[in-house]
Every structure is written in C-alpha cells, then in structure tokens.
Amino acid sequence: MILEPGILALILLSLITSGTILYALRHIVPILYAWDLKSGSEGQLQLERRTYLLSTLLTWAFVAELTSLLLLVYTAENLHERFTGAMCAAGVFNLNAFGYPALLLKLGNFLLAGCWLVLNRADNSARDYPLIRGKYLFLLVLTVPLLAEGVVLGLYLLNLQPDVITSCCGSLFGSRAVGLGSELAVWPMRPLGLVLLLAYVLNLGSGSFVLRKGRGSYLFALSGLLVLFLGISAILSFVAPYFYELPSHHCPFCLLKADYGYVGYLLCGGLLVGATAAAAVGVLQPFATRPSLRQIIPALQRRAVWLGLTLFTLCFLVATLRIITTDFTLFG
Amino acid sequence: MTGWCERQRNILDVALASLRRRRGKNLSLLVVYSLTVFLGASVMFYSAGLKREARLLLSAAPELVVQRLSAGRHDLIPVAYAEGIRTIRGVGTVAPRLWGYYYDAVYGANYTVQVPTLPPPAGEIVIGPGIARLRKVAAGDLLPFLSYRREDLLLQVREILPAESELVSTDLLLLAEADFRALFSFPSGVATDLTVTVRNPQEVATVARKIVERFPDTRPILREEMQATYAAVFDWRGGLLLVLFGVVLLAFIIFAWDKAAGLSAEERREIGILKGIGWETGDILTLKFWEGTSISLTAFLLGTLLAYVHVFLLQAPLLAATLKGWAVLYPDFRLVSRIDAFQLTVLFVLTVIPYTVATLVPSWRAATIDPDSVMRD
Amino acid sequence: MPLRRADIFGVLTASGLLLLLALVLRGSGPDPAEADRLTRLQRLVTEAQLTDLALLTEARYTRHPTQADHFAPFQDHPLALDHFPSGMFWSPRRPAP
C-alpha cells in the first residue's frame, strides 16, 4: 500500500459509505415489514422518525459516492509518476487485477446512486412517504454492488505495489491488445458513429416527447443508457484520436490532462451525468400514477430530461466541433 | 427558487444566532477544528511541494549512473569500464564522475565534494550557500582544508552558488579534478561512478540491462528511479505525518461528537419551542445542517489559508524542525507557492466529511425531540 | 435594512472561497519567473551532474538516497530504528525496481 493523501481519502470515503449502508440495512428491514402509515402506534412513530435519519445519512453517503468517482480518477492520474511504465491513469488502474473492476463498479454505482437520490428527492417532496417501500427495496438491491465496490476498491488500493512495471495506454487500448478496452477501441468509426447518432436522435426525440406529452420515459431512459455505452466506445474508438491527432492513441484518460484542456472531464462526465438523469426518468415512471406524486414526478422528470439532453448535446457538439475543425482525419 | 433561497437564508440566520448563544463551546470547537485542518493541510502542501521540486529538478539529472560494487559495497569504478560501455549499441557519451564527502571536523558538517563538467580552475572552488553561511566566507576568501595526507590545502572561493539553488546545492563544494585528487589522495585511473547518456530515451532500460550483462559487478541507476525514489520518500514521509494526523483527526471527531451529542437543557428547550411554533423535523435537520456547515466551512477556510501562509510564506517552521534531524547544514529554501484543486478536495474529504458524519446522528436525535416532553420538563 | 447575520457569513465565506480559488489559479497558470528559475537550476543540476536534493546532509544515505543501497538505513532489519532522526521517515521498501 502507498501512503498517499488521495488514497487515504478514498479509503475513508469507502468506509463511510459502506458503514452507512450497513447501518441503514439494520433499520430498513423493520421499515419494509412493519410500515403502516395509517397506524398511530408508538412503533410506527419511531419508524417515521428513523426515516429522517436514514434519508439524511444515505443522501450524504451517496453524495460521497458520487464525488469519490472523481477522486478515484484524479488520484490515479496523480499517482502515475510513482510507477515505472505508467504515463497516465490507464497504467495505474492496470497495476493489479482489481483496478479496472473497481473503476467499472464505481461507474455503475454512480448511475444507481444517482437514481436513488432522485427517488429519495421525490419521496421527500410528498407528504405521505409514497415511495418508502420502493426506495428501500431499491437500496436493498443497491447494497450488493456498493459493498462489492468497497471490497474491490480496498483490494486495489491495498495491493498497489510500487515495483510493478505496468503497461500504459499505448498497449492497453492498442489494436494488438486484448480486453474490453481494446475491443471497444477497434470498433470501426463509420458504423459506430452512425449507431451513436441514431441513439442520440432517438434520445432527443423521446426526450422531447416526454417534455410535451409526458410519455415515452422508458424509451428515453433506455436510449440514454445506449448513448452512454456507445459514447464511451466512440471516445475510445475515434473521438480520442481526433483530440490527440494520433490515429493509434485511443486512451480515454489522457483526455483528462491539462494538455487537452481537461476536455475528458466534460465528455465523460457529461455522458455519465446525462445518462444518470435519463435513467432516473425511467426509474421514476412506475410511481408517476401515485396520487400524492401526480404533480411532483412529472416536474422532476422534465428537469431530468432537460439536464440529460443539454449534457448530451454539449458533449456531442464539443466532439463534433473537434472532428470538423482539426486538420487531422481518420479517413485516409 | 427565490423562495427556497430566502428560506435557507432565514434558517441560516437562526443557526448563526444559536451558535452565537453558545459562543464558548462553539469557539473552542472552531479553534480545534481549524488547527486540525491546518495540520493536515500543512503536511500535504509541504510534501507535495518538495515532491514537485524533486521531480522537476531531477529531470535534469544524469540519465544513467553506473556504480561498481565490491563485496556488496559501493566502490570506485575503473575508468576503463567507460570504454567497454561506450561500445554498447545506443550509448551516447560516457563520462567519469568524481565526487565524495569531506567531513569538516571543526564545524561537524559534511560537505559534498564534486567535480562538475565545467570545473573551476585549479586552486579555486565554487561553494553552496549553506557552506558560505556556516564558514562565514564570501567570494575571494581562502578556505583551508585538511587533505588525506594531513597537508593543508588552501582553496580560494571563486563563487558562491545562488541562494535560489539551496535545495540542491547547500552543502556542495565544486572544484577542479587536480584539487579533488590532491584532497582525497584519489588514485588515478578510477572514478566514483560513471554517467551515461543514451541516444534514444526509450532504450535507457535496455542499455542498463546490457551494462549489467557486460559488467556484472556494476549497478546502474536510472534517472526515472531517482525521481521515483524521491516521490516515494516524500509520500512516505508525508504519509507518516498524515497517519499521525489521523490520530489527531480521530481525537477531534470524538470531541466533535461529544459536543454535538451533549445537548444542553437549554438547547432542548429551544428545539422544543421551534417545533411548538410549527417547525418540522426536516426544518430542524436543515437548521442543524447549517450549524454544522458554517462551522465546517469556516474551519476549513481558516485552516487551509493558515497552512498556506505557514508553508509558503513562513517556510514551514513547524514541519522543518522534524525534517532537519541532526544535520549541521540545512538548506534555507522557499517552496513555490502552488496548491491545486485535488489537494483541497482530498483535504475536504479527510476533514469535513468525518465531522459531518459524526454530527449527523446527534443532530437527528435533536431534531426528533418531542416538543411536549421538552416543554413539560 | 440592517445587515443580517446570514449575509455577513455569506460574504465572509464567499470571499474566503474566492481567495482560495485565486491561490489555486495563481499556481496553475504559466509563470515566466518560475520557468526561468527552473531552467537555471536544471542547468546547474546538469552541469554539476547532481543526482540528489541537498535536503538532509547528516549521513551519506540521507544526502544521496538515490545513490545508496536501498537498505542502507536499515542495516539490522527492515524496521530497525535508525541512528539518525530523519531515518525514521525512510520507507523500508524499495521504491522502484
């Protein structure tokens, strides 16, 4: 293990999140079983009080979860000079077998935690705890990936060996390498670009449909997730090379460096937050018909749709602008 | 939106008024909190500054240094090795390097004596600012040295290295090869070690491997390794201090928990009255949130700004004392004032988040007090 | 309207945050004087062929940690307490291959 402030902070955040989840688990089981709003019993009163604590605690824990993604990427970026062979975060994540799984779990949990926060927001806005069962059931499901992430992240950070020679982005995302990253990186540009464009148009269409008619939320959520997946593949396959003006350099992490104006934070962050907003629209949909939420959920959904569409469009514009304006071309 | 802002502003007003009512308790909390942040921030700024300086300065260090080992100890290397190394493919130039230590028995200090690539003329020396300070000499003065043959050697100070170079040169004594050999009775035909340049920077590791194959009694040291050594040293150093800081942090968290959990009868009555006049549990939680946030933010800002002044303007007197050890010569350097968003984020996570977590449960306890049970007391 | 506590707090906190932001930005921008200083120092390092910082001059291995055996501060066993105070900061593990 390396004693580095960033690593200590990550471990602390991970411990706090996992601890909070475990603490919450102890209390949500009674809520799931014995919740009865009509009853005025002492037990029910205790449960209602408890929900305030759980809601606040979990909100903090999930906000911590969201920020720790940024911290993880930034720490890896910062650590690369410590390891022979690592030129950017790609090599640092590759230091042991747990690096990329930890990152992927963190990305997935970002999506899920974001959805939970939106659900919690909807529940807190209404008077009669309409989503109490739904959100705590969701939390029960969320526990597994969240705890798994804590374990994998811990294994990754505690097993960082300074004397391992790692391979960096050139070989990780190159055409000769094996693995998910390189598989995505070699997807041909034209078909991938076309499918991405289709997914984006579908997202745009269903989004405006949600805004106008209040329907089509599931399509919007699905297409949003599709845009995220295809967008990341596109960054690996051809967007990154356009920014580097190097046909063979596919690394997504070098985009996070100051040399490229931190554009990676905008592209990856925009895609991720946009997809989270889109997914939240879908997650809210089944509860839209509850009487006390009839006003609240459509309003929340509309805001999420606006956020998602704005962010996707921004990413799309930035990437397209670069592809059009640079002299470099992948079409030889 | 304006309604929401106005509401938060009002609650913040109430929070600040309630903090003010318990001035003594909250001020002591603020002082301890700020000191905790200050300690952590000082350690982080200082070690990051040193790390950065080492990385940048050593990027100009020799690409490859080749030492000879004899029975597991660093030994003098025959200059003839240079010929052999030069024939390895990819090697640019090979130069012998002459350096050693001179112990000044009068002052109890160790100087690093070295022959640079462009040495001063024989009989003259260039010294680091630390030596000049210790021996109270200026350019043009004569400095006596005792050679290994017990003969006095008088060398004239030609130049004192600039103060800005303290961090690499404070104890440095640069002199001509002839003087070096006279001072240490250094045998001819050998050097302390060899520096090697490699034509293609990507092949340094390959060249180093070939050198060890050709000369099994040598040890090559790559420039990348020198930089990694310093990164590791400062991370370890900073990390150890951070672990000590962790103990301080834990003590502080317990302190904060205790302060938050120990609701006075007066506080309970206040919350009871607020509830009685129509505040809801959620509002009280917001109130508690603002109380905590105002203390956290103030302490964080005070702590980091004080640490900035301490490390970059005052040259970290509190930390330097622990680093100095028993050395007689210590560089008097000023770190480049530079902090980044990452350090601040990490600091925030390490100090504010634990505090928030520690006070969440107590503030929930406070927020769910039954109004009637309080007022009946 | 009299100044409210919340506003005073808001202004103070905001100015503190702005100051911090200014300090961060000040460090991140290009600085010609700093670049000059670095060039001069790097030239000195290259000309004198230096490999180490003159930070701890008390012992050979603290003056030149990159040139010493990595176990130099730990002659007895990896966690042995070192003679010199600064030795306690030395990592007992080899930093790089």
Side-chain angles (χ1 to χ4, degrees):
Chain A
M1 155 172 198
I2 296 171
L3 279 176
E4 212 265 344
I7 292 182
L8 294 182
L10 274 172
I11 290 178
L12 183 75
L13 276 184
S14 171
L15 282 180
I16 286 178
T17 316
S18 314
T20 312
I21 297 282
L22 289 177
Y23 178 82
L25 272 188
R26 204 164 69 93
H27 293 291
I28 62 173
V29 177
I31 290 180
L32 286 175
Y33 271 104
W35 184 265
D36 178 13
L37 196 59
K38 286 186 217 80
S39 151
S41 71
E42 181 64 27
Q44 171 66 16
L45 216 61
Q46 288 295 337
L47 288 185
E48 280 176 32
R49 277 189 190 157
R50 189 63 71 178
T51 57
Y52 278 102
L53 176 64
L54 290 182
S55 165
T56 326
L57 270 178
L58 289 168
T59 307
W60 275 98
F62 286 147
V63 170
E65 175 69 28
L66 303 193
T67 44
S68 73
L69 173 66
L70 198 68
L71 199 64
L72 176 66
V73 172
Y74 211 126
T75 304
E77 182 63 48
N78 240 24
L79 273 178
H80 72 83
E81 72 194 53
R82 291 287 307 278
F83 299 100
T84 319
M87 261 99 75
C88 67
V92 177
F93 281 120
N94 197 39
L95 274 168
N96 61 43
F98 302 108
Y100 278 100
L103 181 65
L104 284 178
L105 273 170
K106 210 152 196 76
L107 286 174
N109 285 338
F110 185 99
L111 260 172
L112 294 171
C115 290
W116 193 88
L117 283 174
V118 174
L119 213 56
N120 188 39
R121 175 71 198 273
D123 185 50
N124 285 350
S125 315
R127 293 238 143 237
D128 58 346
Y129 313 95
L131 298 180
I132 194 108
R133 281 229 164 75
K135 79 176 182 190
Y136 285 132
L137 270 176
F138 186 20
L139 186 76
L140 221 49
V141 179
L142 242 172
T143 310
V144 181
L146 272 171
L147 292 182
E149 180 212 301
V151 172
V152 175
L153 186 68
L155 282 173
Y156 168 60
L157 293 176
L158 297 176
N159 284 315
L160 282 182
Q161 296 295 342
D163 48 2
V164 171
I165 297 181
T166 179
S167 50
C168 203
C169 41
S171 45
L172 277 177
F173 299 104
S175 48
R176 273 170 304 162
V178 284
L180 186 64
S182 57
E183 294 279 312
L184 293 178
V186 295
W187 278 14
M189 171 177 176
R190 265 168 228 255
L192 180 57
L194 203 67
V195 179
L196 175 62
L197 192 65
L198 273 178
Y200 173 68
V201 169
L202 187 67
N203 189 255
L204 208 62
S206 59
S208 42
F209 203 64
V210 174
L211 285 180
R212 218 167 313 138
K213 297 266 169 61
R215 289 171 60 187
S217 316
Y218 293 124
L219 192 63
F220 180 72
L222 272 182
S223 58
L225 292 176
L226 206 61
V227 169
L228 172 66
F229 178 70
L230 293 171
I232 298 282
S233 320
I235 288 176
L236 283 169
S237 156
F238 61 86
V239 178
Y242 266 104
F243 275 96
Y244 307 127
E245 305 194 326
L246 278 173
S248 56
H249 198 185
H250 295 276
C251 175
F253 295 104
C254 292
L255 280 179
L256 304 174
K257 290 184 176 172
D259 314 3
Y260 305 100
Y262 302 110
V263 71
Y265 286 106
L266 177 73
L267 288 180
C268 298
L271 281 175
L272 190 59
V273 177
T276 309
V281 170
V283 169
L284 285 174
Q285 189 54 42
F287 310 105
T289 49
R290 301 277 171 91
S292 59
L293 290 171
R294 227 170 245 150
Q295 300 298 318
I296 293 163
I297 281 191
L300 257 180
Q301 279 179 324
R302 264 197 294 281
R303 269 158 68 185
V305 170
W306 271 116
L307 180 68
L309 286 183
T310 317
L311 285 174
F312 282 160
T313 311
L314 194 66
C315 294
F316 202 73
L317 282 180
V318 168
T320 320
L321 206 68
R322 176 68 184 189
I323 292 177
I324 294 172
T325 52
T326 178
D327 294 332
F328 171 81
T329 177
L330 278 177
F331 303 100
Chain B
M1 202 61 194
T2 40
W4 184 84
C5 276
E6 196 50 40
R7 183 184 164 84
Q8 300 300 319
R9 191 159 153 240
N10 288 333
I11 297 183
L12 176 59
D13 247 351
V14 178
L16 290 173
S18 116
L19 287 179
R20 209 179 115 86
R21 270 195 295 280
R22 278 167 290 281
R23 214 168 305 152
K25 173 179 156 180
N26 289 315
L27 265 182
S28 65
L29 182 68
L30 188 68
V31 169
V32 177
Y33 198 167
S34 305
L35 269 179
T36 313
V37 176
F38 167 78
L39 264 182
S42 292
V43 171
M44 273 177 62
F45 293 165
Y46 195 65
S47 57
L50 277 175
K51 222 168 89 178
R52 178 173 174 276
E53 203 74 358
R55 190 184 70 233
L56 290 173
L57 293 179
L58 293 184
S59 67
E63 265 184 304
L64 190 59
V65 170
V66 180
Q67 296 177 339
R68 185 171 156 252
L69 295 180
S70 166
R73 293 169 147 264
H74 178 191
D75 201 2
L76 303 180
I77 191 164
V79 178
Y81 277 34
E83 291 308 312
I85 292 175
R86 211 166 281 141
T87 59
I88 292 173
R89 264 170 61 101
V91 170
T93 58
V94 185
R97 203 162 67 120
L98 294 170
W99 62 277
Y101 305 97
Y102 177 85
Y103 180 68
D104 184 337
V106 180
Y107 291 89
N110 244 322
Y111 307 152
T112 299
V113 182
Q114 194 155 359
V115 180
T117 45
L118 298 167
E124 295 187 24
I125 51 173
V126 174
I127 57 172
I131 301 183
R133 222 174 17 243
L134 184 74
R135 304 286 296 256
K136 300 190 183 62
V137 290
D141 291 355
L142 286 173
L143 267 183
F145 294 91
L146 192 62
S147 81
Y148 280 20
R149 289 215 185 92
R150 298 245 139 233
E151 287 161 1
D152 275 326
L153 192 64
L154 269 182
L155 297 170
Q156 189 180 24
V157 178
R158 179 191 176 83
E159 189 192 337
I160 294 168
L161 290 167
E164 61 175 15
S165 68
E166 285 256 5
L167 197 53
V168 284
S169 72
T170 195
D171 67 337
L172 214 55
L173 199 154
L174 301 176
L175 74 187
E177 185 175 343
D179 290 331
F180 183 85
R181 293 198 187 267
L183 182 61
F184 296 123
S185 308
F186 207 79
S188 58
V190 292
T192 314
D193 48 30
L194 301 174
T195 59
V196 180
T197 60
V198 180
R199 290 214 188 85
N200 179 357
Q202 310 224 301
E203 284 178 359
V204 179
T206 325
V207 168
R209 210 182 56 235
K210 282 185 186 160
I211 292 175
V212 182
E213 275 166 18
R214 185 86 58 92
F215 302 101
D217 59 344
T218 60
R219 174 169 67 187
I221 299 165
L222 276 59
R223 182 200 289 155
E224 216 183 14
E225 284 175 0
M226 301 175 197
Q227 288 174 308
T229 303
Y230 273 96
V233 164
F234 292 133
D235 272 351
W236 175 258
R237 234 162 232 266
L240 264 186
L241 287 175
L242 270 183
V243 170
L244 295 182
F245 162 75
V247 179
V248 175
L249 190 71
L250 196 67
F252 165 69
I253 296 302
I254 293 169
F255 179 73
W257 168 285
D258 189 54
K259 290 271 175 202
L263 275 188
S264 65
E266 192 200 359
E267 269 176 285
R268 287 169 61 87
R269 203 167 55 241
E270 273 173 30
I271 292 168
I273 291 171
L274 286 178
K275 282 202 150 178
I277 59 174
W279 285 50
E280 288 177 21
T281 307
D283 299 330
I284 307 271
L285 275 176
T286 319
L287 173 73
K288 287 281 162 193
F289 165 80
W290 277 117
E291 278 183 16
T293 305
S294 46
I295 287 190
S296 287
L297 267 180
T298 314
F300 182 74
L301 285 173
L302 274 179
T304 39
L305 291 174
L306 278 178
Y308 190 91
V309 172
H310 171 231
V311 171
F312 296 118
L313 304 182
L314 304 177
Q315 295 162 282
L318 296 178
L319 295 177
T322 65
L323 287 178
K324 264 181 193 166
W326 295 352
V328 175
L329 277 172
Y330 186 75
D332 177 19
F333 62 94
R334 195 174 278 267
L335 285 173
V336 181
S337 353
R338 191 174 285 243
I339 54 175
D340 60 36
F342 175 62
Q343 291 171 329
L344 294 181
T345 317
V346 169
L347 206 61
F348 191 83
V349 168
L350 284 179
T351 54
V352 175
I353 304 263
Y355 173 78
T356 312
V357 171
T359 50
L360 265 176
V361 175
S363 46
W364 167 74
R365 287 247 158 78
T368 47
I369 289 175
D370 253 344
D372 66 319
S373 78
V374 177
M375 292 199 222
R376 221 172 288 163
D377 285 340
Chain C
M1 197 178 90
L3 260 179
R4 287 168 54 173
R5 279 206 191 90
D7 299 341
I8 299 173
F9 173 78
V11 168
L12 281 179
T13 310
S15 43
L17 285 173
L18 278 179
L19 185 59
L20 215 53
L21 186 73
L23 291 177
V24 170
L25 290 180
R26 179 167 168 256
S28 66
D31 182 351
E34 158 69 0
D36 282 353
R37 182 192 73 102
L38 266 181
T39 327
R40 280 195 301 274
L41 289 190
Q42 285 174 340
R43 198 164 55 226
L44 172 68
V45 170
T46 312
E47 275 172 10
Q49 299 195 305
L50 304 180
T51 53
D52 285 86
L53 301 186
L55 193 59
L56 308 156
T57 58
E58 50 195 2
R60 284 206 300 264
Y61 61 84
T62 58
R63 173 62 178 88
H64 289 104
T66 68
Q67 304 297 300
D69 293 314
H70 63 89
F71 49 81
F74 307 100
Q75 297 286 346
D76 297 327
H77 55 91
L79 281 172
L81 285 179
D82 191 53
H83 176 64
F84 287 103
S86 57
M88 88 175 209
F89 294 114
W90 242 245
S91 161
R93 210 174 337 94
R94 195 183 156 98

